[in-house]
Amino acid sequence: MEIPYTISNRPDTGLWNAKIGIWLFLASEVMLFGGLFSAYVFLRLDSPPGLWPHGLLNVPVGTMNTAILIASSVTVVLAWAALKMRKYRAYWWYMLITILCGITFLVVKLAYEWPQKFEHFGIYIKQDRLEKYEPYLGNKHLAEKGLPPRLEISGHLHNHEALHDANVKEYEVALDPVNADPTNPAMDRPHFFYVPPTEKIGKIDKEDVERATMFLPTHSTYFATYFTITGLHGAHVLGGVLVFIYMWLPVSKKLYQRNPEHLANRVEVCGLFWHFVDLVWIFVFPLFYLL
Amino acid sequence: MNNPPDISQDPAEHEEYAHNVQKHVKGYLMVGGALLVCTGITVALSYVDFGSRKANIIVAMLVATFKAGLVGAIFMHLAAEKKLIYRVLIFTGFFVTVLFWLTYFAWYDPVAR
Amino acid sequence: MDASTSLPDTAGHHDPHDHHAEHEHHQLGWWRSYIFSTDHKVIGIQYGICGLLFLLMGFSLMMLMRWQLAYPGQALPGIGKALGHIFGPGTMDGGKMAPEFYNSLGAMHGTIMIFLGVVPVAFAAFGNFVVPLQIGAPDMTFPKVNAASFWAFAVGAAIMVSSFFVPGGAAKGGWTSYTPLSDLADKGAAYHPIFNGQTLWLLGFIFLITSSLLGAVNFITTIIQLRAKGLTWMRLPFFVWAQLVTAFLLLLAFPPLEAAIVMQLMDRLAATSFFLPTGLVVNGAQVHISGGGSPILWQHLFWFLGHPEVYVLILPAFGIVGEILANNSRKPLWGYKSLVFSVLVIGFLSFVVWAHHMWLTGMGATVSAFFQTTTLLISIPSVIILSAFFISLWGGSIRFNVPMLFSIAFLPMFGIGGLTGIPLAFNSADLYLHDTYYIIAHFHYIVAPGTIFGLFAGVYYWYPKATGRMMSEFWGKVHFWPSLICMNLIFLPMFLQGMLGMHRRWYDGGQGWTIGNEHVWGLSGFQWNTPISWAAWIMGLAQIPFIINFFWSIKHGEKVGSNPWQATTLEWDAPSPPPHGNFTSPPTAYRGPYEYSLPGRDGDFTMQSEPIEATERTKRKPAPETILA
Amino acid sequence: MSSCLALINEFLGQPPNASEHGYQIDHILEFAHWFMAALFVGWSAFFIFVLVRFRRSRHPTADHHGVKSGISTHLEFSVVLIEAVLLVGFAIPLWAKRVNQFPDTKDAILVHAVGQQFNWNFHMPGPDGQFGRRDVGLVTNTNPLGLDTADAAAKDDIVALGELHVPVDRAVIIELSSKDVIHNFALMNMRIAQDAIPGSQIPMWFKPIKTGSYEVICGQLCGLGHYGMKGMLVVDTPVDYQAWLKERAELGGTPTVPAPTDRPPGEPAGAGPTPGIIAPPGAPKTANPQAQPAASPSPSGE
Ligand code: HEA
Ligand code: HEA
Ligand code: CUA
Ligand SMILES: [Cu+2]
């Protein structure tokens, strides 16, 4: 006896097996990211004023990546439709574009966005020393406007030896524009385009420092959630790309010749997964880049 | 909008069938466009000050939900799916809401004096 | 709307994989057909044997702990020193158990019993072996995924067990792995950054969760898609319903824990602070982390799995017991519909009660009122199920064979465990009972003499289907009676210890505490440990007949036909053991699952696959089935 | 009435209650236990009867239909009803009282209890009623709470390690927190318990009505010394209490018991942060003789 309904529908459910399978899997995925996002909410609610950073991420790049994912989602359905219409060449091209989109997304994230963060340096000032660094923080100015205070001075670390050498008593940082010119109203809201650190060097005594790290997951619960969620999402993208590559290779051409509907079903299933990954990103993007 | 029907084994019907799918393709492209526009809108809105950050978050989430809806309904064919799948998703949706809401609620209502 | 719906399923023949599957049983060598098989029966048996061995292992760990509890600080005679060498320095030097080794054993006992023992046997093993047969399917919908699920489990289990032998030993934070404790544990000079107990526990879990998710997807799809012709939802055996709900619980409750585990891994490996608040001072030294995390978050995510998980432990047992009760009382399960309904309700409600494990975390009045209500609500369907089981026996003609013995023992045992859950549901009462041995007794009555007995019953019941031979009745009884007695000798006194106020996870067995030295029923709380421990060790001996019986019968058990118990459900139509593809011809179901002692028929059982004759239609009255009774 | 109810808890070994609200909690327990007992006995009787009456030898042919009456429905409803009564009538109001109606801080004793591996630190505001500032930066072995002695409010503060005295018949409000991991401040005789969670300060209150000294159990696994993490609550007569306050005040902000530093048995050398101070079980934490648990060998056999 063979396993029925691998390709055609079971009459009473009107579905073939893999279709149900993938939807169940996606259901569990919803719960997985649900767990992560509820953690995000929980931690964000817990964070005291000023401790949830804003505008640290590169919005245009994020936007571009969003667009790329959306585009790839479109090409996947098109690829599937092409198969339905039995146009293998079209399918092949759409699939190729999808794969390339996926890869670009990953490259941008891993080779550009993340490293850019890793080399950024953030210094949290002790509560009772904040006044001392008023010129970098401009908290009075913020207080007047009723905005949350700034507790962190960020930029590019000049004297890297400061990280491990105890004799070096202060950090020298090429300040971010925000800290270079804190009272400038333009700085109240995060910039749209990423602005590199200025030439202006800020000096911060180690005594006054609460914590100082690069923008790594350990930097703050914000970056912890950011790297964890985008990392997990990236893993999903990678998985999708790999499967797509398999279905784009000649192997699947053989399957197509044997039974086109079967290939179409597979593409549909992976497509569903891909759309879901896209869908997750649709929430990740505003939550981390914009808000 | 409906999904393209599965292709029939009978080649004779193939012509109008392919045509049928073609119609849907246009729809997919339009939705893709809509999504891109919405992305632009989300970004733009995040620079508009809606009074409080809360307000901004709510607005952004509304747009995001709308986009998610599009992807789900059209790309993932949820606009016209089988009952079974709806059932599964309804429960999942419910439980995920429970997870969000109750954890939030528990955070919101601690022992206090 | 589908053109192909109407067409016969011809397409399948073109599919390479089905082709492959078709040939499997002709061509595959020993390895492919017994080790890396994709046949649901083989996978089921693999799961079964591994799971049982892990049960034994978890039990053995506990027997060690019971020594420490009964004779704190005394060297374990005989094997003690040897164990010290096996587990390495700082565990049982000179046969004396060290505190953190006790904690390791406790945590691993819980983890192994639940995730490597009961879930694999109750869900994966019986689910894999029995469900496709009971619904008349040739196999699972995704045989390869099925195999993948088993191997993911194997890897996860290997990681868990190996964690005993890394420097510092296995995880020590309890099976609940509460943060910050488990975030901070197993760190520092003496530990490897990755190969340390807690980190391996987390890594192992990721595999176990993956395995469960793959399994769950497969089960649900199979039950939905591969039901035999005529096997409508209301004709499904109760066991299939139980497995379906269980699968959904695993599918939807595990992922949030997976998320939490990823976060704890980040905390441990990337120095994040998901679960670490600001300003921790550990052992006099300030911890340098960003802080801002929440210890309670872990508990929420853990118990969001944790509670559904406990129903994962019990529902399959319900299913097994139901089948066996019907079969051996030779009459239908009473109130089939209400049973199904209750199982569904349990499944649903178990997602909204988790915080009853967190009463003392500083929960406000509103939230706790909500969770108390849901927790009490969820006890109702259990009451209904148990009542239905009891009532099913009324008017039966009860055979007391070994599977039946274990099944009827299950009922009161679960009853005790369940009933003692009720005071815990009131957080003001739990104020007193929380974290005492009362809790331990509560859930052990459910999982040990409950679930474990259910599993034993299942093993004895389906063994002939899997092997074509019976297990020995006599040795079965030799297994049953001591087990039943010892179980109660072990867990009843724990209620007393709990009421005394003795707490769990006490390395010294309460010796050092005033309450531990107060007397109840003639013995001090601490002294009670001794009879409990002896009972546990004797129960260990009582398992030997089972183990021998189990393996001996494979070759030497009495040969039997395809339906030794004269049961009605579809699996008994297949030959024993069933060939690859299970059924010689696709079965069809014509009637409900439990057509025992139908009036006006000579045999006292009628198989689901027997067509309904014209004569019957007139004679037959429909069995009384109402939702709430 | 309630006394005969109470029998069941005593019968099960519950130690006597020593707090004002405690008897209410015991009532719920009693009620629940009688309820469970009734169900259990009832069902068991039915169960055994059925097993005997309908065994194969006695009843060779089964009846396909079995029970027809809806008796079980009534039974299930009564279960629902009783549970509902317990919940709405007792449990919910009781909890509300515990967490929403704290006694007035003017006539209550205010204490901060801070858990650490494996000990309890108590911090009392002293005469001025002001808690001195605490800062994790200042924590040392001799100043386990990191009390800022520079702070004026801290001058008269009382800090005690392991042992807390309170006067009888006065409400006590304990604000629980922890320095490292989650502990649980459990007072079985006071019928009160509450997690001590790092990063948050959770209040809990009770009113002792019997003098004596009671062990504080740590009811949450907190590492290898968990089993030995014992505090002592001494309920004094007002007079003794004043004496104790005086004695403490003279000692100033420093704890009496020098914070032990010995590593726990069998602990891998130089192991990470988790392990800490460990009290061997049975080791008395207080001068108070009643508090001495029956002497017993330390679990590590020495
Ligand atoms: C399979 C496992 C299982 C099951 C089914 C249950 C069932 C229930 N559990 Fe249990 N529970 C656990 C496993 C389980 N539990 C575990 C493992 C823990 C500890 C976790 C840890 O901290 O390590 C725990 C802890 C636990 C707590 C937390 C206690 C604490 O930590 O402070 C609570 C609190 O509400 C609770 C309540 C309940 C309730 C109300 C039920 C109800 O669903 C019970 C309903 C059943 C009945 C009401 C019985 C009905 C039967 C009859 C009426 C017939 C009687 C007939 C005869 C006796 C002959 N449980
Ligand atoms: C499914 C879950 C499960 C099961 C079955 C058991 C079974 C048992 N448990 Fe378990 N226990 C837990 C889950 C379980 N436990 C959990 C979650 C905890 C909390 C851990 C923590 O603190 O974090 C705990 C804690 C716990 C404690 C408290 C420890 C402490 O707090 O310090 C104790 C104390 O006695 C105990 C004892 C026992 C005993 C005597 C059994 C016995 O009933 C054992 C019975 C087992 C068998 C009879 C095995 C039979 C199997 C075979 C013989 C296989 C045969 C093999 C082949 C045929 C191949 N357990
Ligand atoms: Cu502190 Cu356990
Ligand atoms: Cu629970």
Side-chain angles (χ1 to χ4, degrees):
Chain A
M1 272 171 77
E2 282 176 3
I3 300 166
Y5 314 124
T6 45
I7 294 149
S8 63
N9 297 342
R10 175 181 167 112
D12 58 354
T13 60
L15 291 161
W16 33 278
N17 300 343
K19 183 102 171 239
I20 300 182
I22 191 67
W23 272 112
L24 291 168
F25 176 70
L26 289 186
S28 82
E29 289 283 82
V30 171
M31 297 305 286
L32 174 65
F33 283 96
L36 286 164
F37 279 116
S38 65
Y40 168 90
V41 176
F42 209 86
L43 295 175
R44 186 166 179 171
L45 290 169
D46 259 357
S47 71
L51 274 183
W52 194 265
H54 297 281
L56 293 185
L57 299 181
N58 193 332
V59 175
V61 175
T63 318
M64 183 189 79
N65 255 351
T66 315
I68 289 175
L69 266 195
I70 291 175
S72 72
S73 257
V74 177
T75 50
V76 170
V77 259
L78 295 186
W80 170 76
L83 271 185
K84 282 287 187 186
M85 294 183 285
R86 304 287 184 265
K87 298 182 184 156
Y88 189 81
R89 283 238 51 60
Y91 160 77
W92 190 88
W93 279 108
Y94 284 132
M95 211 45 151
L96 182 57
I97 303 171
T98 316
I99 294 167
L100 292 179
C101 285
I103 293 175
T104 327
F105 179 91
L106 285 174
V107 170
V108 171
K109 194 142 240 18
L110 299 177
Y112 179 70
E113 273 192 284
W114 281 16
Q116 200 180 52
K117 292 288 152 283
F118 294 155
E119 71 189 18
H120 222 90
F121 192 62
I123 302 171
Y124 282 101
I125 306 297
K126 289 201 177 118
Q127 283 290 346
D128 51 350
R129 309 291 169 84
L130 285 172
E131 303 79 22
K132 181 170 167 192
Y133 295 92
E134 182 60 17
Y136 298 149
L137 297 169
N139 280 333
K140 294 198 179 55
H141 162 80
L142 291 174
E144 283 159 16
K145 293 209 164 184
L147 295 165
R150 296 195 187 104
L151 311 174
E152 183 183 28
I153 298 173
S154 61
H156 281 178
L157 184 60
H158 252 230
N159 55 343
H160 275 271
E161 63 277 14
L163 288 175
H164 22 263
D165 186 349
N167 307 329
V168 184
K169 289 281 176 271
E170 58 183 15
Y171 297 110
E172 294 167 7
V173 179
L175 295 169
D176 276 335
V178 190
N179 301 114
D181 173 8
T183 51
N184 177 347
M187 303 296 171
D188 296 354
R189 304 195 125 269
H191 288 269
F192 177 68
F193 283 105
Y194 170 70
V195 190
T198 58
E199 293 308 307
K200 183 174 175 191
I201 299 288
K203 290 189 164 38
I204 297 103
D205 283 337
K206 282 186 174 176
E207 277 87 53
D208 311 340
V209 173
E210 182 75 50
R211 272 188 96 249
T213 68
M214 296 295 177
F215 283 4
L216 298 168
T218 177
H219 168 272
S220 59
T221 42
Y222 169 79
F223 271 121
T225 38
Y226 165 73
F227 282 112
T228 311
I229 292 184
T230 52
L232 213 63
H233 177 266
H236 280 72
V237 175
L238 181 64
V241 167
L242 291 178
V243 178
F244 282 150
I245 290 177
Y246 171 79
M247 292 204 284
W248 169 79
L249 291 174
V251 203
S252 55
K253 174 96 184 196
K254 290 201 189 60
L255 174 56
Y256 177 77
Q257 282 145 353
R258 223 183 290 107
N259 179 349
E261 201 58 16
H262 195 195
L263 182 60
N265 287 355
R266 288 190 176 180
V267 174
E268 181 171 0
V269 164
C270 308
L272 283 170
F273 174 76
W274 192 253
H275 297 313
F276 175 78
V277 175
D278 181 13
L279 201 145
V280 170
W281 184 258
I282 287 180
F283 286 97
V284 172
F285 175 60
L287 281 178
F288 285 100
Y289 286 73
L290 303 177
L291 300 172
Chain B
M1 92 189 228
N2 221 327
N3 305 331
D6 284 356
I7 190 162
S8 104
Q9 316 299 54
D10 165 12
E13 300 172 13
H14 189 279
E15 258 322 299
E16 54 83 41
Y17 171 78
H19 177 68
N20 200 330
V21 178
Q22 195 60 47
K23 285 211 300 289
H24 289 280
V25 170
K26 289 197 188 59
Y28 295 141
L29 289 169
M30 276 154 56
V31 173
L35 286 170
L36 290 176
V37 175
C38 289
T39 313
I41 295 177
T42 324
V43 178
L45 286 180
S46 75
Y47 291 88
V48 184
D49 190 342
F50 288 96
S52 73
R53 179 152 260 124
K54 244 204 203 72
N56 276 49
I57 294 180
I58 292 168
V59 172
M61 283 301 105
L62 286 178
V63 182
T65 319
F66 173 71
K67 291 165 75 180
L70 278 183
V71 175
I74 311 304
F75 287 172
M76 303 172 90
H77 306 319
L78 281 182
E81 239 334 329
K82 299 288 176 297
K83 248 201 239 61
L84 182 87
I85 288 175
Y86 286 143
R87 284 210 195 93
V88 173
L89 290 184
I90 287 168
F91 278 102
T92 316
F94 175 79
F95 291 137
V96 101
T97 329
V98 164
L99 179 57
F100 271 92
W101 186 70
L102 280 181
T103 28
Y104 166 74
F105 197 24
W107 171 86
Y108 173 81
D109 173 46
V111 173
R113 289 165 53 189
Chain C
M1 72 174 253
D2 288 318
S4 61
T5 317
S6 49
L7 300 166
D9 182 21
T10 49
H13 289 291
H14 309 297
D15 175 37
H17 296 279
D18 289 44
H19 247 295
H20 179 70
E22 204 178 34
H23 288 263
E24 215 153 28
H25 52 296
H26 305 313
Q27 302 172 348
L28 291 181
W30 184 84
W31 280 95
R32 283 299 302 282
S33 34
Y34 292 104
I35 304 304
F36 298 108
S37 167
T38 59
D39 183 319
H40 74 98
K41 297 180 293 299
V42 180
I43 293 175
I45 291 167
Q46 286 173 322
Y47 261 122
I49 304 244
C50 295
L52 284 167
L53 287 172
F54 278 118
L55 279 179
L56 190 56
M57 179 176 177
F59 187 23
S60 317
L61 300 183
M62 183 42 64
M63 287 194 277
L64 273 181
M65 292 168 76
R66 287 306 323 180
W67 171 265
Q68 167 64 25
L69 289 173
Y71 307 104
Q74 297 179 32
L76 175 62
I79 55 171
K81 285 200 169 44
L83 287 171
H85 292 301
I86 295 171
F87 288 111
T91 57
M92 295 198 50
D93 305 336
K96 292 179 191 162
M97 188 180 292
E100 71 278 69
F101 187 55
Y102 178 88
N103 290 352
S104 287
L105 291 175
M108 294 312 275
H109 164 76
T111 310
I112 289 177
M113 279 297 193
I114 291 184
F115 296 100
L116 306 186
V118 171
V119 172
V121 179
F123 175 69
F126 285 114
N128 260 307
F129 187 87
V130 177
V131 166
L133 287 166
Q134 274 192 332
I135 64 174
D139 200 324
M140 288 289 203
T141 37
F142 313 114
K144 289 198 180 61
V145 175
N146 206 13
S149 155
F150 173 74
W151 288 107
F153 162 74
V155 175
I159 295 177
M160 284 282 181
V161 175
S162 64
S163 73
F164 268 107
F165 304 101
V166 297
K172 306 165 189 58
W175 82 289
T176 50
S177 260
Y178 274 9
T179 52
L181 179 61
S182 43
D183 257 8
L184 305 166
D186 297 359
K187 281 187 183 163
Y191 299 88
H192 186 284
I194 291 167
F195 295 103
N196 60 67
Q198 188 60 29
T199 309
L200 287 179
W201 187 88
L202 295 165
L203 290 171
F205 243 104
I206 291 193
F207 284 93
L208 294 178
I209 293 176
T210 315
S211 152
S212 293
L213 291 181
L214 295 177
V217 169
N218 215 339
F219 276 49
I220 300 171
T221 321
T222 307
I223 295 175
I224 293 173
Q225 290 287 87
L226 302 192
R227 274 170 295 121
K229 198 151 155 299
L231 193 60
T232 56
W233 287 103
M234 278 304 142
R235 284 179 181 174
L236 285 179
F238 180 56
F239 178 73
V240 177
W241 275 108
Q243 288 289 343
L244 182 66
V245 175
T246 312
F248 266 106
L249 292 181
L250 287 172
L251 184 77
L252 298 180
F254 248 136
L257 178 68
E258 187 165 24
I261 281 180
V262 169
M263 290 188 253
Q264 200 182 106
L265 268 174
M266 290 293 284
D267 276 4
R268 295 181 58 83
L269 298 176
T272 57
S273 331
F274 282 106
F275 305 122
L276 299 175
T278 316
L280 285 183
V281 179
V282 172
N283 207 22
Q286 208 170 337
V287 188
H288 288 288
I289 38 131
S290 76
S294 159
I296 297 304
L297 175 60
W298 166 268
Q299 296 190 21
H300 278 298
L301 294 175
F302 180 89
W303 288 119
F304 187 86
L305 161 88
H307 192 86
E309 177 67 27
V310 305
Y311 285 94
V312 168
L313 300 179
I314 198 66
L315 291 184
F318 278 159
I320 295 170
V321 168
E323 296 296 305
I324 295 174
L325 285 180
N327 172 261
N328 291 300
S329 61
R330 315 305 296 163
K331 64 187 288 298
L333 276 182
W334 187 84
Y336 173 82
K337 277 216 183 78
S338 61
L339 281 171
V340 171
F341 176 77
S342 307
V343 172
L344 293 173
V345 173
I346 287 186
F348 183 80
L349 284 178
S350 60
F351 282 94
V352 291
V353 300
W354 78 84
H356 67 214
H357 296 270
M358 301 163 61
W359 291 141
L360 300 189
T361 54
M363 209 185 298
T366 330
V367 173
S368 60
F370 172 86
F371 280 107
Q372 291 182 70
T373 317
T374 51
T375 305
L376 284 174
L377 281 179
I378 203 174
S379 70
I380 304 307
S382 307
V383 176
I384 295 176
I385 290 175
L386 243 79
S387 314
F389 282 171
F390 282 122
I391 296 174
S392 301
L393 295 172
W394 182 277
S397 165
I398 302 168
R399 305 187 302 204
F400 291 98
N401 48 31
V402 176
M404 185 60 165
L405 284 177
F406 277 106
S407 304
I408 51 185
F410 170 94
L411 299 177
M413 294 298 108
F414 172 79
I416 297 175
L419 287 172
T420 49
I422 289 172
L424 307 179
F426 302 111
N427 57 357
S428 33
D430 189 57
L431 204 55
Y432 182 78
L433 297 173
H434 175 69
D435 223 60
T436 61
Y437 266 88
Y438 196 97
I439 310 288
I440 299 290
H442 151 64
F443 71 81
H444 279 88
Y445 256 103
I446 293 172
V447 291
T451 304
I452 297 267
F453 277 11
L455 300 183
F456 284 150
V459 170
Y460 284 100
Y461 183 67
W462 278 297
Y463 193 90
K465 180 50 62 185
T467 62
R469 293 169 183 275
M470 290 291 236
M471 284 173 78
S472 146
E473 277 283 309
F474 173 76
W475 289 110
K477 289 182 169 136
V478 175
H479 174 210
F480 170 73
W481 288 107
S483 296
L484 178 64
I485 296 163
C486 292
M487 280 290 186
N488 289 281
L489 289 179
I490 295 171
F491 294 116
L492 259 184
M494 290 191 189
F495 284 118
L496 303 178
Q497 292 182 317
M499 284 303 280
L500 265 179
M502 287 176 63
H503 276 55
R504 27 189 312 199
R505 298 161 172 177
W506 263 359
Y507 162 74
D508 70 340
Q511 185 185 30
W513 297 83
T514 11
I515 45 161
N517 295 289
E518 273 165 25
H519 284 59
V520 51
W521 294 15
L523 292 179
S524 80
F526 168 66
Q527 287 160 344
W528 269 110
N529 285 328
T530 320
I532 293 177
S533 295
W534 280 100
W537 299 324
I538 294 169
M539 187 168 71
L541 294 179
Q543 304 310 313
I544 293 170
F546 173 64
I547 300 173
I548 296 174
N549 194 349
F550 185 90
F551 289 108
W552 189 82
S553 308
I554 295 173
K555 286 253 167 304
H556 313 285
E558 167 204 357
K559 266 203 163 56
V560 287
S562 67
N563 189 3
W565 308 109
Q566 302 176 302
T568 52
T569 42
L570 288 180
E571 79 263 38
W572 303 105
D573 275 329
S576 328
H580 187 87
N582 295 346
F583 296 89
T584 35
S585 67
T588 313
Y590 294 96
R591 44 179 89 229
Y594 306 115
E595 298 286 52
Y596 289 103
S597 315
L598 271 182
R601 308 187 116 244
D602 28 21
D604 73 346
F605 72 107
T606 317
M607 313 244 336
Q608 266 187 296
S609 53
E610 271 186 51
I612 296 184
E613 305 134 25
T615 55
E616 243 182 300
R617 287 207 186 73
T618 54
K619 282 211 198 78
R620 189 132 169 272
K621 288 187 242 67
E625 277 173 352
T626 56
I627 286 303
L628 247 182
Chain D
M1 165 61 181
S2 88
S3 65
C4 101
L5 273 177
L7 281 178
I8 193 163
N9 286 358
E10 279 170 32
F11 177 69
L12 294 172
Q14 190 185 30
N17 159 45
S19 77
E20 190 189 47
H21 74 281
Y23 76 94
Q24 298 169 301
I25 287 181
D26 293 355
H27 272 351
I28 294 192
L29 267 176
E30 288 147 11
F31 211 105
H33 277 132
W34 282 115
F35 171 55
M36 287 146 59
L39 273 174
F40 182 75
V41 170
W43 274 116
S44 305
F46 173 83
F47 185 46
I48 292 163
F49 172 78
V50 170
L51 291 183
V52 176
R53 169 67 182 74
F54 294 102
R55 64 186 192 277
R56 175 145 263 190
S57 50
R58 172 91 190 278
H59 193 252
T61 53
D63 157 22
H64 179 75
H65 299 306
V67 176
K68 293 210 184 54
S69 83
I71 176 73
S72 71
T73 323
H74 306 302
L75 185 124
E76 280 139 14
F77 273 123
S78 47
V79 172
V80 179
L81 208 66
I82 296 175
E83 287 185 351
V85 171
L86 275 170
L87 180 67
V88 183
F90 296 78
I92 293 180
L94 189 47
W95 190 257
K97 189 161 182 341
R98 290 251 78 34
V99 300
N100 289 347
Q101 300 160 24
F102 278 85
D104 188 344
T105 47
K106 281 195 303 300
D107 42 31
I109 308 279
L110 244 75
V111 186
H112 286 180
V114 180
Q116 79 181 44
Q117 294 166 323
F118 298 96
N119 229 322
W120 291 105
N121 300 283
F122 299 105
H123 181 189
M124 275 153 286
D128 68 351
Q130 295 291 325
F131 284 97
R133 185 176 152 277
R134 295 202 307 257
D135 180 348
V136 287
L138 303 172
V139 171
T140 63
N141 263 355
T142 47
N143 183 4
L145 283 175
L147 187 65
D148 177 359
T149 37
D151 180 5
K155 287 277 179 293
D156 61 354
D157 284 14
I158 292 175
V159 176
L161 183 75
E163 180 177 334
L164 171 67
H165 285 237
V166 295
V168 69
D169 292 330
R170 263 182 77 183
V172 184
I173 301 175
I174 303 185
E175 296 233 352
L176 283 159
S177 61
S178 165
K179 283 159 68 175
D180 36 39
V181 304
I182 301 181
H183 306 271
N184 179 294
F185 192 93
L187 276 162
M188 301 322 273
N189 306 71
M190 299 294 161
R191 309 291 193 255
I192 192 82
Q194 169 62 52
D195 282 355
I197 300 166
S200 53
Q201 215 173 43
I202 307 169
M204 137 193 141
W205 74 280
F206 61 96
K207 188 191 251 185
I209 55 176
K210 286 197 199 124
T211 58
S213 47
Y214 309 92
E215 281 174 349
V216 180
I217 295 173
C218 174
Q220 189 59 262
L221 181 62
C222 54
L224 75 177
H226 164 63
Y227 70 93
M229 179 161 169
K230 181 189 295 185
M232 191 58 62
L233 177 84
V234 182
V235 180
D236 285 331
T237 61
V239 184
D240 299 354
Y241 178 63
Q242 290 309 327
W244 180 75
L245 282 181
K246 200 154 154 302
E247 168 206 335
R248 300 299 315 162
E250 281 147 15
L251 286 161
T254 58
T256 29
V257 191
T261 49
D262 56 315
R263 307 295 274 176
E267 207 260 295
T274 328
I277 309 142
I278 181 167
K285 275 268 175 45
T286 164
N288 189 320
Q290 299 137 272
Q292 297 253 13
S296 52
S298 121
S300 35
E302 278 75 69

